[in-house]
Amino acid sequence: MSASRARSRAGGYAVLAAVALALLVAACTGGEPEFEHTIDMEDNFYDREVTRIDVGDRVRFRNRGVVPHNAIDVGGTWSTGEAAGGEPADLMDPDEEVVVTFDEPGVFTYYCSIHAPDDGSAGMAATLVVGDVAFDAADTAPADAVTEWTGVTRRVPDDHPTIQNAVDAADPGDLVLIAPAPETPEHLAADGAHVYREQVDVSTPYLTIRGTDRNAVLIDGEHERPIGINTVAADGVAVENLTVRNTTGNGIYWTGVTGYRGSYLTAYNNEIYGIYAFDSTDGLFEHSYASGSKDAGFYIGQCDPCDGVITEVVAERNGMGYSGTNSSDVYLLDSVWRHNVSGVVPNTLDSQRQPPVGRVTIAGNLIHDNDSREAPALGFPWMAFGNGVVLPGGMDNLVTRNRIVDHERAGVTVGPMLSRNFWMSGGNVVTDNVIEGSGYADLVLGGPALTGNCFGGNDPGRTVPAGLESIAGCGPDARAGAHVEVADPDRGAFRLPSRQHLAPMLSFIGLVAEVEFGLQPDNDHRDAPVPPEQEQLPGGVDAPVTPAVAVFAGFDLDLDAVEVPPPPRAPGGADGADDGTSAGVEEVASEGAPTAGRAVLVAGVPFGLGGLSTLFGVLGWLAPFALFAAWVALALLDLARREDLGRPAVIAWTAGVLVLPFVGAPAYLLAGGAGLPRWLRWTSVVGATVVLAVLLGAAVVIGGLL
C-alpha cells in the first residue's frame, strides 16, 4: 500500500471516528429536555418569587432544603404531590424532584402546605405566570394588632377534643388552654405517656397557646409529622408551658410573622430544629429547653432586622446549640449551651435570603463542652465541631462577658464561610470573655478575613495567630453587635497589617471532608435521652394572657448588667458553682473535653485533632512553606557560590529572593543563571509544585469540596 493511500485511509478512519463520536454525544445529550424551568425549594422559601413560563412548559420543582416541602396551587388545579402520582399534600423529601406540566394559561399562587397558609398569603409561597396573561402583585394591609386578651378561653380537651380544633375555633386575642391529654388508649404513647397526636397549624393571629403543665402537656409527632406547633403568617402568637417532641422537622415553629414569643417550652428529639423562628421579626424565646435536634436547638434566621432575643434557655445534645442563618439584630443572653456538637453558630449561607449574618450580640452565656460525638448532627453542624462560638462569614457581631470552656477545638473562631459565594468576616468584637480549656486555641482568627475584627480582655491561653490580642486588639471605644448602627472595633487600638491565619480554615476543611466521606458519627436523634422535668410558667393557668405584640420593645434589655456566669457545676452536682440554668436541667458529665492538654501545633496546623484536618493543613499550609524554604535555601546557596556575577547583581538577586516570597527564588533558579544542575532546579520548582497541586487538588475533589 502506498504512503498516500495509507494517509487517505487513515484520514477516512479519522472522519468516521469523529462522526461516531458526534453520534454518541448526540445520543447521550439529544432529545428534548425533560423540563424547561427549575424552581428550587430552599428552607423555607422558593428561590423565585415570580416565575413566567409559556403554555406547555414543564417546571422541575427541586427540594434543596433539609426538610420536606411541596408546592400546591391555591386554586387546587395542580400540586407536586399529584404530579408524582399521589395526594395533593404529599411531601417531597430533600433532593427529591417533581416535574409539573402547565397546559393552561393563568396566574397561579402556590404554597408549601407545612410552611405557608393555604391561601398563599405569606410564608413559603410564590407565583407562577403561565402564558401571555396580565399579572400585578397585590399588596395586602396587615390586620390590626390585638394587644389584650379577649377573656375567652378555649379549653382542650374539655371544650375541644384536639388542640387543632380549639385553634381553628379561636379568635384573635383568645387563650387556648391545654390540659394533659386524656388517659385513654388513643392518647397512649409507646413510652407510657399520654400525648396529643397531632400537628397544630396556626393561622389565626394573636393567640396565646398555653399548657397547664409544661411537663405533662405533650404534643408528640411520633416521628411521622413534620412540625409540632406550626405558626405560619399569623402575627403575635405566643406559645407557653408545654412540650413538643418526636417530629420529623421542627418542634415549635414560626415563619413569616411579626411578633412571636416562646416561654417555658420544652422541645426534644425533634429531628431538625427544636424551637425555630424563620423570616420573622419582633420575638422572644425565654426559659426554654431544647435537645436532640440534628441541626439546632434554637434558631432565628433570615431576618433583617430580626429584633429577636433568646434568654435564659438551655440547649444540649443538638447538632448546634444555636444556629442563625442570615439574621441581624439578635441577642443571645444569659443562657447555657452545652454538650452539643458545636455551640453558638450564627452563620452566612446563600441558601437563604438576606446574607450575611451580622449584628448579633452574644453576652453572659455559659458555653461549654460543645464537642459531643454522641449528639445527633447533620453535616453543617459537624463542620463546626468542637467549637464554643463560631462566626463564619459574620459581620459586626459582639461576643462579650461569656464563659466559654472545655472545647476540643476553639473557644471563639472568627473566619470565612464558603457557600455559593465566599463570605469573609469583618467588624467582629470579642471582648472580656473567660475562655479556657480549648484543645486548638482559645481565640482564632481564620483567614482570609476582612478588616476590623478585634479581640481584647479575654486573657486567652493560646491564640491563632499567636498574640492575637496584641496584633488585633480592641480599642477602648470598640463597638459592634445588635442595634449598633456603625460598628467600630478599631478605635484607639494598635494594629499590625497581617492579623489572620489560613491554617485554621484548612483545618475546618478537614471537617467538611469528613462529612463527605461519611466519617462523622451517625447518631439517631430518637436515641437522645429524655430531659428531666422543667420549670413551670410562673402563675401557671392564672398567668397573665399577653399576645406577642411589641415583644422586643417590651423586653427589659440592660447589657451593662450582664456579667460573666459562674463555671459549670461539677458532674453529678458535686462541689462547684451553679450552671446558671433557669430551666432546672442538671449538669451532665463532660464528654471528652480537652482539659488535660492542648493539641500540638506546627505553624498553626493542629496535630491530633483528626487526620483530615491535619492533611489539609499540611498540604495547604505547611507544604507550600516548606517548599518555599527549600527554594530560598537553594537560591541563597547558589548565589553564595557565584563568581561570575558582580556584587551588585548578587545583592539584587538576594534581595529579590528574600523580599518576593514564592516569586523571587523560583525566578532566580529557573532564569537567573544558577549553577545548580538543570534537573535539580526544574524538579524542585516545577515538579514539586505540580505534585503538591495535584495532591491538594485530589484532596479537595475527593473530600467533596468541588
Side-chain angles (χ1 to χ4, degrees):
M1 182 184 297
S2 67
S4 61
R5 289 180 64 189
R7 286 193 297 271
S8 176
R9 179 169 294 183
Y13 288 153
V15 171
L16 289 174
V19 170
L21 179 60
L23 291 174
L24 179 61
V25 171
C28 294
T29 63
E32 292 185 275
E34 295 181 358
F35 50 86
E36 288 79 22
H37 308 273
T38 295
I39 296 176
D40 284 329
M41 302 165 168
E42 305 281 2
D43 292 332
N44 298 307
F45 63 93
Y46 302 103
D47 72 332
R48 297 182 180 184
E49 293 185 5
V50 178
T51 303
R52 293 182 177 271
I53 67 172
D54 294 327
V55 174
D57 281 0
R58 292 156 293 187
V59 178
R60 174 180 64 165
F61 290 87
R62 179 172 58 180
N63 187 354
R64 298 183 65 180
V66 298
V67 297
H69 299 294
N70 56 20
I72 303 174
D73 172 36
V74 167
T77 61
W78 61 270
S79 71
T80 50
E82 291 171 306
E87 298 298 321
D90 285 353
L91 295 169
M92 296 168 53
D93 289 328
D95 300 322
E96 188 175 348
E97 300 178 357
V98 172
V99 176
V100 183
T101 302
F102 295 89
D103 293 323
E104 299 293 333
V107 177
F108 303 95
T109 299
Y110 59 95
Y111 66 98
C112 173
S113 63
I114 60 174
H115 298 116
D118 57 11
D119 62 358
S121 60
M124 188 171 176
T127 301
L128 185 69
V129 182
V130 182
D132 187 15
V133 296
F135 167 69
D136 291 317
D139 293 327
T140 58
D144 292 336
V146 177
T147 60
E148 297 182 354
W149 179 34
T150 60
V152 176
T153 299
R154 314 280 181 169
R155 298 179 183 275
V156 182
D158 291 347
D159 302 327
H160 301 273
T162 67
I163 304 171
Q164 186 67 63
N165 179 260
V167 166
D168 292 343
D171 295 317
D174 286 358
L175 169 65
V176 175
L177 186 62
I178 311 164
E183 295 184 2
T184 62
E186 65 181 302
H187 293 94
L188 183 62
D191 63 353
H194 290 85
V195 302
Y196 290 96
R197 291 187 167 101
E198 53 183 307
Q199 172 174 310
V200 182
D201 296 313
V202 183
S203 58
T204 301
Y206 308 110
L207 297 182
T208 298
I209 301 171
R210 175 183 296 170
T212 61
D213 185 320
R214 176 179 179 180
N215 302 300
V217 175
L218 305 176
I219 299 174
D220 194 338
E222 300 181 293
H223 306 294
E224 297 177 357
R225 287 175 286 278
I227 300 175
I229 297 180
N230 182 36
T231 301
V232 179
D235 295 341
V237 173
V239 183
E240 305 170 340
N241 211 46
L242 51 78
T243 295
V244 173
R245 67 182 194 180
N246 301 339
T247 68
T248 60
N250 312 321
I252 305 163
Y253 178 56
W254 291 260
T255 183
V257 306
T258 298
Y260 63 91
R261 179 168 51 80
S263 303
Y264 294 88
L265 299 173
T266 301
Y268 71 93
N269 295 24
N270 300 290
E271 185 168 3
I272 308 300
Y273 296 98
I275 301 175
Y276 182 178
F278 180 82
D279 192 25
S280 299
T281 63
D282 190 24
L284 170 66
F285 295 150
E286 60 176 350
H287 301 283
S288 295
Y289 172 91
S291 68
S293 293
K294 289 184 176 180
D295 200 294
F298 292 88
Y299 180 101
I300 296 176
Q302 192 184 285
C303 41
D304 184 11
C306 300
D307 289 341
V309 178
I310 299 179
T311 184
E312 296 188 89
V313 305
V314 176
E316 63 180 356
R317 301 187 183 96
N318 304 282
M320 293 176 282
Y322 170 81
S323 172
T325 300
N326 303 351
S327 55
S328 299
D329 295 318
V330 174
Y331 295 86
L332 308 178
L333 307 173
D334 300 321
S335 296
V336 178
W337 316 89
R338 67 187 182 201
H339 300 291
N340 304 287
V341 171
S342 49
V344 176
V345 192
N347 57 82
T348 297
L349 291 174
D350 290 304
S351 59
Q352 293 185 11
R353 295 185 177 118
Q354 300 176 333
V357 67
R359 304 191 309 276
V360 176
T361 293
I362 305 168
N365 299 277
L366 175 58
I367 305 169
H368 70 95
D369 295 287
N370 292 287
D371 46 21
S372 174
R373 287 182 166 83
E374 299 177 3
L378 298 173
F380 184 76
W382 185 255
M383 297 174 194
F385 166 79
N387 289 269
V389 177
V390 189
L391 305 176
M395 297 295 297
D396 304 333
N397 301 295
L398 173 64
V399 182
T400 187
R401 283 168 277 162
N402 304 280
R403 186 176 296 274
I404 307 170
V405 297
D406 293 345
H407 292 95
E408 184 169 316
R409 290 189 175 240
V412 178
T413 295
V414 178
M417 180 68 197
L418 176 60
S419 186
R420 293 167 197 164
N421 294 294
F422 187 73
W423 298 91
M424 292 186 287
S425 294
N428 300 288
V429 175
V430 182
T431 59
D432 302 323
N433 302 280
V434 174
I435 309 175
E436 56 191 3
S438 306
Y440 178 55
D442 294 328
L443 294 174
V444 175
L445 178 56
L450 299 173
T451 60
N453 299 295
C454 79
F455 305 79
N458 303 287
D459 193 24
R462 181 163 72 183
T463 70
V464 175
L468 188 56
E469 292 202 336
S470 297
I471 63 176
C474 295
D477 297 318
R479 59 180 183 268
H483 294 98
V484 172
E485 292 185 4
V486 179
D488 184 7
D490 286 343
R491 181 174 296 175
F494 170 70
R495 313 284 294 195
L496 292 179
S498 179
R499 49 185 185 270
Q500 54 189 276
H501 206 308
L502 291 177
M505 292 304 99
L506 293 165
S507 177
F508 272 101
I509 290 175
L511 292 174
V512 177
E514 287 186 12
V515 173
E516 295 297 329
F517 279 119
L519 298 178
Q520 73 177 90
D522 184 15
N523 299 314
D524 194 328
H525 71 285
R526 294 172 293 186
D527 296 333
V530 176
E533 291 195 349
Q534 305 292 303
E535 180 185 3
Q536 300 284 347
L537 173 70
V541 174
D542 298 322
V545 178
T546 307
V549 178
V551 176
F552 180 77
F555 181 75
D556 186 14
L557 179 63
D558 184 2
L559 279 182
D560 292 335
V562 173
E563 299 179 351
V564 175
R569 192 166 51 211
D575 293 342
D578 185 77
D579 63 6
T581 77
S582 62
V585 183
E586 293 186 2
E587 184 58 86
V588 294
S590 172
E591 297 174 4
T595 53
R598 297 185 183 273
V600 175
L601 300 190
V602 178
V605 175
F607 285 76
L609 291 184
L612 288 173
S613 290
T614 301
L615 172 66
F616 279 92
V618 169
L619 292 179
W621 185 251
L622 290 183
F625 280 98
L627 199 56
F628 166 67
W631 293 341
V632 170
L634 288 173
L636 293 178
L637 177 64
D638 189 79
L639 282 167
R641 299 168 58 184
R642 292 286 295 268
E643 297 180 356
D644 57 323
L645 290 178
R647 180 167 295 180
V650 171
I651 292 174
W653 272 115
T654 300
V657 167
L658 296 176
V659 174
L660 299 174
F662 295 100
V663 175
Y668 171 74
L669 292 172
L670 297 180
L676 297 171
R678 177 183 174 88
W679 67 266
L680 176 60
R681 292 184 285 117
W682 281 84
T683 298
S684 62
V685 175
V686 178
T689 302
V690 169
V691 170
L692 178 60
V694 169
L695 290 174
L696 185 59
V700 167
V701 172
I702 295 172
L705 303 179
L706 292 178

